[in-house]
Amino acid sequence: MLQRWSASDFAKNGRFIHDMAGPIFALLAPKPGERILDLGCGDGTLTAEIEAAGADVLGIDASEELLAVARMKGLSVKKIDAHALDYVQEFDAVFSNAALHWMQAPDLVIEGVARALRPGGRFVGELGGHGNVAAIATAIRAVVKARGGDPEHAVRWYFPTMEEYGALLSAHGFAVREMALIPRSTPLKADMQGWLGTFCRFFFDQFEEPERSAVLAEVLELLKPSLCDTEGRWTVNHIRLRFSAERSPGE
Ligand code: BEZ
């Protein structure tokens, strides 16, 4: 169940990701001349802001379709699986916004980030924390279960607790400087169908039509009482896990 991305759907339904990024960008505080890796850069919206701050930034992502948009912005980007980083002490900072929760082996990712950073370098990121988009994840599991499938493997996001992620960072030699779990309700500019079609494509793509539309309708029906108001406005309940950690200066 691989997640595939459509650049146009992402631009339309993923705006909230950029809109929520102010605090994590402030935490990164990129400085002119710094070499920064943007891990999971997507279409490069924030990569461009890091570059505008004067840093020398490289964006990496697994989606060729999103990278093509970043390239059109003139950004330096590469298609690299974040589980297989092979940089050694090359970056002053590694930054990641709304990407780490798509990566299934966080241990491998953090190991590669630690290797890629210079001693004393910083890892600054934000991902979905425990309980993120819980109603949506639960609705998907319920529909899978009702159809005789295995709800355990229906949802592929990684939404850790602070304790869990903090322990992983420490195990790889990071000193955690800041960490917080931040609940945030995000009103959708488009509708829930667009959000599901963009961010849960890994799930819906396993069904052929007309079953795909029927499954989508079932998920929407389950979500509507909790996430749609009487005016038809949809909201997604995010919980962000935001952190800043420093690689040990000694190695
Ligand atoms: C998030 O940014 O929290 C998120 C986005 C898409 C799917 C799941 C989580």
Side-chain angles (χ1 to χ4, degrees):
M1 268 200 276
L2 261 187
Q3 168 72 7
R4 292 184 303 124
W5 295 96
S6 146
S8 55
D9 282 358
F10 186 77
K12 189 166 156 215
N13 297 301
R15 233 211 111 65
F16 71 92
I17 290 176
H18 182 241
D19 293 348
M20 285 198 290
I24 186 66
F25 190 81
L27 195 57
L28 173 67
K31 294 172 203 59
E34 277 191 323
R35 178 97 173 116
I36 297 182
L37 180 68
D38 184 0
L39 191 86
C41 65
D43 64 7
T45 307
L46 287 175
T47 324
E49 290 188 21
I50 298 170
E51 188 176 81
D56 171 15
V57 59
L58 170 69
I60 63 164
D61 204 280
S63 164
E64 193 49 63
E65 180 146 22
L66 296 182
L67 287 173
V69 179
R71 278 193 201 98
M72 282 192 287
K73 296 174 181 165
L75 297 164
S76 169
V77 294
K78 279 191 188 160
K79 183 172 192 286
I80 293 179
D81 178 355
H83 296 91
L85 292 178
D86 62 359
Y87 298 102
V88 180
Q89 299 197 1
E90 199 173 316
F91 296 95
D92 299 298
V94 175
F95 174 75
S96 186
N97 182 47
L100 294 165
H101 49 241
W102 291 100
M103 300 169 197
Q104 302 296 311
D107 207 40
L108 273 183
V109 175
I110 297 173
E111 185 181 295
V113 169
R115 198 168 39 237
L117 281 170
R118 295 185 179 132
R122 60 206 194 279
F123 182 22
V124 179
E126 193 169 299
L127 67 154
H130 192 67
N132 191 37
V133 300
I136 296 170
T138 303
I140 288 176
R141 289 191 185 102
V143 167
V144 166
K145 188 158 189 225
R147 289 172 172 264
D150 178 0
E152 182 123 347
H153 299 294
V155 176
R156 300 295 307 272
W157 298 309
Y158 169 65
F159 296 144
T161 60
M162 289 208 293
E163 291 73 19
E164 187 182 343
Y165 209 69
L168 278 180
L169 289 167
S170 303
H172 289 285
F174 283 99
V176 177
R177 299 295 180 215
E178 284 189 41
M179 187 173 271
L181 214 50
I182 302 136
R184 184 187 146 151
S185 286
T186 310
L188 293 185
K189 295 220 166 72
D191 57 12
M192 181 56 79
Q193 183 165 336
W195 194 99
L196 293 171
T198 302
F199 294 107
C200 302
R201 211 169 144 175
F202 65 88
F203 172 66
F204 293 106
D205 272 3
Q206 67 189 296
F207 304 101
E208 301 281 345
E209 288 296 356
E211 196 181 9
R212 188 182 199 279
S213 296
V215 170
L216 178 62
E218 282 171 35
V219 172
L220 286 169
E221 192 188 330
L222 284 170
L223 290 177
K224 200 166 177 190
S226 24
L227 298 184
C228 185
D229 70 12
T230 49
E231 307 292 320
R233 289 177 299 230
W234 288 88
T235 297
V236 172
N237 294 322
H238 286 112
I239 297 179
R240 320 304 293 176
L241 174 54
R242 187 180 300 156
F243 65 90
S244 175
E246 192 178 306
R247 184 189 186 280
S248 147
E251 300 155 40

